[in-house]
Amino acid sequence: MKKYDLIDEALLAAGPDAVWEALVGELAGGARWWVPDNTFEPVNGAPDRVGALTRVTVHTKGVDKGGKKIRFTARTAAVEPGRRLALAYVEGAFRGTAEFTLAPLDDGGTRLAMHFRAQPHGALAVLANLVDMDAKHTRATRAAFARLSRLLPAAPSPAASAAPAPGVSR
């Protein structure tokens, strides 16, 4: 049976707090940057709470464009605010995990990574042998990260925040 072990990452100009807020907001149904590929619907609380369930829908041709929809449910398994959000896929088209990690960069930005380790189930298990889902997942994730990058403002650079304001001495 097909198994996926994929890591996609992006270097974002925004700081970790802004990236964390955007990630949690998206998983809470924000539909700001993962659309048109994926949408998220909270089932029983905020996705940054351990045990919370989130329904995930992958729109194979884009939201409201027809095409097959791949649905599965993720349970929040671990939360380290601003650093790590781990999900377990517990029902639907996938079983496995996804882990988002955020790491601050020296320039004030953030490295955002998603590690997707999953196995397709049901009808998707058959389709997975015919379609290059690895490439489709990576393309959609990287496109989402690029949209996120455009959405968030850049963090102030550490050098700029360390410098005194004009006319102010330290």
Side-chain angles (χ1 to χ4, degrees), residues 157-166 168 170:
S157 72
S161 62
V168 176
R170 289 194 182 168

Side-chain angles (χ1 to χ4, degrees), residues 103-128:
L105 300 173
D106 290 341
D107 66 0
T110 305
R111 190 183 99 242
L112 173 62
M114 178 187 185
H115 192 170
F116 175 81
R117 285 179 235 149
Q119 197 171 327
H121 274 252
L124 188 61
V126 174
L127 183 62

Side-chain angles (χ1 to χ4, degrees), residues 4 21 24 37 42 46 50 55 60 70 81 103 107-108 111 147-148:
Y4 301 100
E21 186 177 310
V24 171
D37 302 301
V50 172
R55 284 192 192 101
T60 59
I70 300 168
D107 66 0
R111 190 183 99 242
R147 287 188 294 273
L148 175 61

